[in-house]
Amino acid sequence: MSHHTVEEIDAVAKKFFDELFPKKDELKVKDRIKIPTMEMPAQDPEERVCNLEEVAIGFTENEAVVEAMRCIQCPTHPCIDDCPVHIDVPLFIENIANYDFQGAVNVIKESSLLPSICGRVCPQESQCQKNCSVGKVFKDVDKAVGIGRLERFVADWERENGEVELPSVKPETGKKVAVVGSGPAGLVVAADVRREGHSVTIFEAFHKLGGVMRYGIPEFRLPNDIVDQEVDTLRKIGVEIKTNFVVGKTRTLTDLMEKDGYDAVFVGTGAGLPLFMGIDGENLIGVVSANEYLTRANLMRAFDREHADTPIYNSKVVAVLGGGNVAMDASRMAKRLGAEKVYIVYRRTELEMPARREEVLHAQEEGIEFLYLTNAKRILGDESGHVTQMECLKYELGEPDASGRRRPIAIEGSEFLLDVDTVIVAIGNGSNPLISHTTPGIKTNRWGNIIVDENQKTTLDKVYAGGDIVLGAATVILAMGEGRKAAKAINEQLEKEIEEEKQVVN
Amino acid sequence: MAKILHKEQLSENVFLMRLEAPLIAEERKAGQFIMLQIDLDYGERIPLTIADADKEEGSITIIYQVVGLTTDELSRMEVGDDIPVLVGPLGKPTHVENFGTVVCVGGGIGVAPLHPIAQAMKEAGNKVIIIMGARNKELMIMEEDMKKIADELIIVTDDGSYGRKALVTEPLKEICERPEKPDLAVAIGPPIMMKFCSKTTEPYNVPTVVSLNTIMVDGTGMCGGCRVNVGGEVKFVCVDGPEFDGHQVDFDNMMARLNSFKEIEQEKHKCYLDKIIEKKLADQKKEAKG
């Protein structure tokens, strides 16, 4: 596919806009179906692998309105049901089609606090766009209405037009809530709880905020400025932020409640310990977890080799193990850091890959080589302990397993060698033990994930949890959804306490 | 943010600092460490063991040797300056109980992290034998502090400029051969020293604890950069350690991994020193003009 510039793409959109917008109220379903999907403008692949700027540039106004007109406002609205936070998708899209961008943002914000983030990182093709009626007409999920792109468009429009409204905050209640971790779940809890007038403190282990959105997701997919802006909004509404504070170490969760007087605690510490394959050679120099690789590059800014003190490998040939978003991020970061060849090594096929569709396409455009039905068997090194090769094994797909995905089966004798100097392991995370090991009474499952009830409450009174520490490794939007639920439960708990205290006084 | 309350040069490249950190001072136990970063945007995070803490003053003591960019910059900071990132206390505390006789072996700068452990062992009722070693007299630190704790203190230097001319493993072996062999050995120092201390005690079945100082980014279990092989299992120094059974640690792999970024860091250090020299020269010029 040849690359199109924003101008070229916008010219096409303008043609449709000029033709359709004047008669937008008369458009029939069959007219709407005929409108082609608008292309997401992106940086030229050849240029973008040399910089860290955002790859997807975002819709132009013409494109947004035309794409919005593709929505047929079907009565079944599967998009609302398939959204983890149930945004009223048809309504916000209708507003865009009517050129009312502020109105559209307002609709989204009733359900989601961080649309500029979700519009960028949600796996829309397996959520809101999955069962879109327009996509169903074509039997092609890629032809669904571009809900995520529209969400991003209006959120960006609001930021750039300086009309971001601060959420309203109710009068102070005197109740104190601690939020542990400043990732997507924690930020949502902080906002929702603060808005009810409770005082909120976020405790973050790192020196910068945003959790996985800062250390994990790279700048070229989610710019730090956007995360900063969301955090800034929280500061402006009075949320207190303590960085370099590891709950469970700097202070235990129990002490926060018993000594420091927090009335409720939300634990959103995220996925913790990176998993390794358990194969020979995994401790050689040049084998890193994707967490380490991305944290060095993103949070510690090692991509800026000239200024950053934190070193990162000068890799030439890289193999990334895994098929999720983290694997895509790591492979594309390696390319940007100067690797000449980058392989994604994945046991199943492209169809089963859990990564967001757009990230896979972007990675392919950037020249990442995908080795499907392949897995690492062992890693080989030289006498100084540096990685030189990886032995791989070919796989075929067998019968579906419990997860419904076809089980990959190793093909005996299919071993082959890949010359590599770096292996990045991106096969997921175990759970971090820092809180569970230092908090008596908090129960975890056999993978170490904190057990919660339907309201995100843990086995400890007044302690809630959500996001990856509960889910294992999931997505930003699922973490936000859990944060939402937890905040609601915390607000209810505090409201009840305030009522009871009033009765005692009377 | 942590203010530097006190700074002292212990030997040519070794510095002691007391930092304002009331919460860490309150929570820390022997064997734990902190992560520290000097520049909020571009700095690196390095782990340093907590050598001591004063709850009343709300301070912790760190002792470090200038070996890289951050320790070099840190050594140029003065009392009153703020360190923007100080996180801790991290890692598991030392397992302290009355074992009977504990022999504590400290090599070079390793004496600093050994000090609080020896102190805790003493307080738990153990007989504490301390072996301190350094390349030469100039590099011997904290002798007075250790003297206060030790039931028996043995000093060795590689060149014989102070104490006995020997490696720490020699007196360690002799102690293991005594009729009342020690119940526990704790060895902290350069990896090669810990490796050979472990090798020394192994034939005598003296349980040996070593404290590992590997490459870390976050120090809270998230990156896995600190992983080591212990008894054939992958362990994270930051959350599973930093102390491990010295007889189980794969020291050779650990030492190889410590050099992961050696070339890159040497290059960086050169650039960094060039910058410092350039700045000094520019300052001198300015002064000469003024």
Side-chain angles (χ1 to χ4, degrees):
Chain A
M1 196 178 74
S2 66
H3 179 74
H4 300 125
T5 64
V6 182
E7 291 73 24
E8 286 164 0
I9 292 171
D10 190 50
V12 175
K14 186 164 187 317
K15 224 178 75 209
F16 283 101
F17 179 87
D18 290 344
E19 183 198 328
L20 300 170
F21 192 71
K23 52 176 185 182
K24 66 182 164 60
D25 298 325
E26 296 138 44
L27 291 177
K28 300 276 184 313
V29 168
K30 67 173 178 10
D31 302 322
R32 293 180 187 274
I33 297 288
K34 273 190 213 152
I35 308 171
T37 52
M38 294 288 104
E39 183 181 339
M40 180 58 135
Q43 275 197 74
D44 189 329
E46 277 176 35
E47 279 172 31
R48 74 193 189 217
V49 293
C50 304
N51 68 48
L52 268 196
E53 280 156 42
E54 197 172 9
V55 167
I57 294 166
F59 276 163
T60 63
E61 289 194 5
N62 287 324
E63 282 193 281
V65 176
V66 174
E67 183 71 27
M69 285 192 284
R70 296 184 63 237
C71 174
I72 58 171
Q73 297 289 326
C74 63
T76 49
H77 51 68
C79 46
I80 303 182
D81 306 330
D82 290 342
C83 169
V85 296
H86 306 301
I87 293 174
D88 190 341
V89 176
L91 185 60
F92 98 74
I93 290 185
E94 192 179 11
N95 281 321
I96 299 177
N98 287 326
Y99 226 103
D100 176 8
F101 303 144
Q102 187 65 54
V105 181
N106 295 344
V107 171
I108 297 174
K109 285 204 166 166
E110 280 170 28
S111 319
S112 169
L113 280 165
L114 313 167
S116 47
I117 295 174
C118 293
R120 286 172 165 81
V121 302
C122 263
Q124 288 94 3
E125 67 276 6
S126 54
Q127 294 178 353
C128 55
Q129 291 171 201
K130 186 180 174 191
N131 294 308
C132 169
S133 299
V134 177
K136 290 277 173 204
V137 170
F138 297 99
K139 296 192 174 64
D140 182 357
V141 72
D142 290 343
K143 294 226 164 73
V145 175
I147 301 169
R149 293 168 178 184
L150 290 171
E151 179 184 25
R152 170 186 163 163
F153 168 79
V154 286
D156 286 354
W157 178 88
E158 189 191 35
R159 272 190 308 125
E160 283 154 21
N161 289 275
E163 291 173 35
V164 181
E165 271 182 49
L166 279 188
S168 58
V169 175
K170 291 187 183 161
E172 299 293 334
T173 62
K175 292 284 176 190
K176 278 169 70 173
V177 177
V179 172
V180 186
S182 66
L187 293 186
V188 167
V189 172
D192 280 5
V193 171
R194 177 66 195 130
R195 292 181 67 175
E196 289 302 306
H198 311 305
S199 104
V200 175
T201 310
I202 296 179
F203 295 94
E204 166 57 47
F206 276 130
H207 51 293
K208 299 239 165 122
L209 293 135
V212 71
M213 301 182 290
R214 174 81 57 178
Y215 70 75
I217 304 176
E219 181 80 11
F220 58 78
R221 194 148 81 83
L222 177 63
N224 281 329
D225 283 353
I226 290 173
V227 180
D228 286 339
Q229 197 151 8
E230 301 298 351
V231 171
D232 215 41
T233 306
L234 292 182
R235 275 207 188 91
K236 283 185 187 147
I237 61 169
V239 172
E240 193 191 351
I241 290 167
K242 288 198 168 150
T243 49
N244 305 314
F245 196 115
V246 185
V247 174
K249 286 288 175 188
T250 310
R251 203 149 179 79
T252 62
L253 194 147
T254 318
D255 278 353
L256 286 182
M257 300 189 75
E258 289 174 5
K259 292 187 184 161
D260 303 339
Y262 284 95
D263 299 292
V265 180
F266 174 77
V267 181
T269 46
L273 317 178
L275 296 176
F276 288 89
M277 304 271 291
I279 56 175
D280 280 351
E282 223 163 11
N283 277 4
L284 289 166
I285 299 173
V287 185
V288 285
S289 73
N291 283 6
E292 178 178 350
Y293 193 75
L294 290 170
T295 303
R296 283 177 185 274
N298 298 328
L299 177 78
M300 306 312 292
R301 306 173 87 96
F303 64 80
D304 186 349
R305 287 201 166 97
E306 199 189 324
H307 295 104
D309 291 346
T310 302
I312 196 156
Y313 292 124
N314 292 317
S315 309
K316 291 290 165 236
V317 188
V318 180
V320 180
L321 311 181
N325 285 320
V326 178
M328 299 305 129
D329 287 345
S331 67
R332 297 169 69 195
M333 182 59 90
K335 194 92 188 177
R336 280 160 178 76
L337 282 163
E340 284 151 18
K341 200 154 189 61
V342 183
Y343 301 100
I344 292 262
V345 177
Y346 180 57
R347 294 194 301 164
R348 293 178 159 101
T349 71
E350 184 168 358
L351 253 143
E352 289 86 14
M353 273 216 297
R356 228 176 146 245
R357 180 94 191 112
E358 190 171 81
E359 309 315 326
V360 178
L361 292 176
H362 281 159
Q364 287 166 344
E365 284 170 14
E366 289 166 15
I368 309 290
E369 204 171 306
F370 286 70
L371 302 177
Y372 298 114
L373 294 168
T374 306
N375 204 3
K377 193 182 170 196
R378 63 186 173 125
I379 304 164
L380 302 124
D382 59 19
E383 63 284 354
S384 67
H386 286 80
V387 172
T388 53
Q389 285 182 315
M390 185 165 84
E391 189 177 38
C392 300
L393 203 55
K394 295 295 288 178
Y395 279 65
E396 59 191 350
L397 289 184
E399 295 300 310
D401 62 13
S403 74
R405 295 190 297 180
R406 293 178 63 191
R407 189 196 306 273
I409 302 164
I411 302 171
E412 252 178 76
S414 65
E415 286 88 349
F416 67 98
L417 287 171
L418 210 57
D419 288 334
V420 292
D421 56 42
T422 306
V423 177
I424 303 175
V425 186
I427 57 165
N429 284 281
S431 52
N432 196 307
L434 288 186
I435 293 222
S436 51
H437 282 186
T438 53
T439 312
I442 205 158
K443 286 218 175 91
T444 56
N445 65 17
R446 64 188 168 112
W447 297 282
N449 298 116
I450 296 179
I451 297 171
V452 294
D453 67 11
E454 66 281 6
N455 296 317
Q456 307 296 134
K457 201 180 87 55
T458 67
T459 47
L460 261 187
D461 213 20
K462 302 178 181 187
V463 180
Y464 304 78
D468 279 359
I469 188 66
V470 169
L471 295 165
T475 59
V476 169
I477 187 71
L478 284 174
M480 286 185 186
E482 295 220 312
R484 263 265 125 105
K485 270 201 286 176
K488 188 163 170 274
I490 292 170
N491 287 334
E492 280 166 7
Q493 174 211 316
L494 297 178
E495 202 181 333
K496 208 170 132 210
E497 285 175 18
I498 292 166
E499 279 306 312
E500 283 166 3
E501 282 158 21
K502 266 189 202 156
Q503 278 168 7
V504 172
V505 174
N506 293 338
Chain B
M1 198 112 87
K3 196 181 284 303
I4 300 172
L5 302 173
H6 174 82
K7 179 186 175 184
E8 200 178 321
Q9 187 158 8
L10 300 185
S11 73
E12 194 192 334
N13 276 323
V14 178
F15 293 83
L16 175 150
M17 275 181 178
R18 244 176 31 246
L19 311 174
E20 188 176 59
L23 288 173
I24 302 176
E26 198 178 318
E27 291 291 324
R28 78 95 208 191
K29 292 193 177 69
Q32 290 187 297
F33 65 94
I34 50 101
M35 297 294 295
L36 165 156
Q37 181 182 343
I38 292 175
D39 183 285
L40 199 57
D41 284 320
Y42 292 102
E44 62 176 344
R45 292 163 70 93
I46 59 161
L48 289 173
T49 311
I50 304 168
D52 204 351
D54 183 338
K55 280 187 200 179
E56 273 175 36
E57 190 188 39
S59 70
I60 60 163
T61 302
I62 53 169
I63 294 175
Y64 58 91
Q65 186 167 14
V66 175
V67 286
L69 279 178
T70 301
T71 43
D72 192 313
E73 277 178 65
L74 190 60
S75 73
R76 291 164 202 277
M77 293 176 78
E78 298 300 335
V79 171
D81 289 347
D82 283 318
I83 296 171
V85 177
L86 185 72
V87 195
L90 300 170
K92 286 186 180 163
T94 309
H95 175 66
V96 178
E97 63 171 68
N98 191 344
F99 296 97
T101 301
V102 179
V103 54
C104 296
V105 191
I109 184 83
V111 171
L114 185 67
H115 178 250
I117 298 170
Q119 204 167 27
M121 290 296 179
K122 180 75 191 170
E123 281 165 16
N126 290 289
K127 178 184 174 196
V128 176
I129 305 169
I130 296 175
I131 304 170
M132 291 171 65
R135 284 207 311 278
N136 55 47
K137 187 181 180 200
E138 150 74 7
L139 297 173
M140 188 68 67
I141 58 166
M142 299 181 79
E143 189 189 337
E144 284 308 309
D145 301 280
M146 289 308 222
K147 227 181 226 166
K148 282 182 208 154
I149 304 165
D151 292 293
E152 186 183 343
L153 182 71
I154 300 160
I155 290 180
V156 297
T157 49
D158 294 8
D159 65 354
S161 56
Y162 191 53
R164 186 170 151 190
K165 182 175 189 292
L167 297 174
V168 289
T169 44
E170 279 181 42
L172 179 61
K173 185 165 190 279
E174 291 159 14
I175 290 165
C176 289
E177 279 168 351
R178 288 178 186 175
E180 279 177 44
K181 71 169 187 184
D183 300 287
L184 180 75
V186 181
I188 308 182
I192 192 82
M193 180 211 101
M194 293 194 279
K195 175 182 170 178
F196 282 101
C197 284
S198 303
K199 276 198 186 264
T200 305
T201 57
E202 204 168 6
Y204 302 97
N205 288 320
V206 175
T208 300
V209 172
V210 292
S211 176
L212 306 183
N213 190 347
T214 50
I215 293 172
M216 291 184 192
V217 182
D218 61 297
T220 61
M222 209 196 69
C223 80
C226 64
R227 65 191 189 277
V228 286
N229 232 312
V230 182
E233 263 184 84
V234 172
K235 295 278 180 193
F236 287 5
V237 172
C238 65
V239 289
D240 300 319
E243 291 171 10
F244 294 99
D245 175 353
H247 298 152
Q248 300 288 324
V249 173
D250 179 348
F251 282 103
D252 294 335
N253 179 251
M254 181 191 124
M255 286 188 271
R257 288 182 56 78
L258 277 171
N259 290 330
S260 293
F261 298 101
K262 202 173 178 186
E263 284 160 37
I264 302 170
E265 282 178 332
Q266 276 170 347
E267 193 53 39
K268 270 185 188 296
H269 197 63
K270 234 168 45 199
C271 299
Y272 168 74
L273 290 179
D274 285 346
K275 268 186 216 157
I276 289 181
I277 293 166
E278 263 171 42
K279 191 172 170 289
K280 278 220 164 136
L281 287 174
D283 287 350
Q284 278 173 6
K285 261 190 193 166
K286 245 192 246 165
E287 261 176 43
K289 270 187 191 165

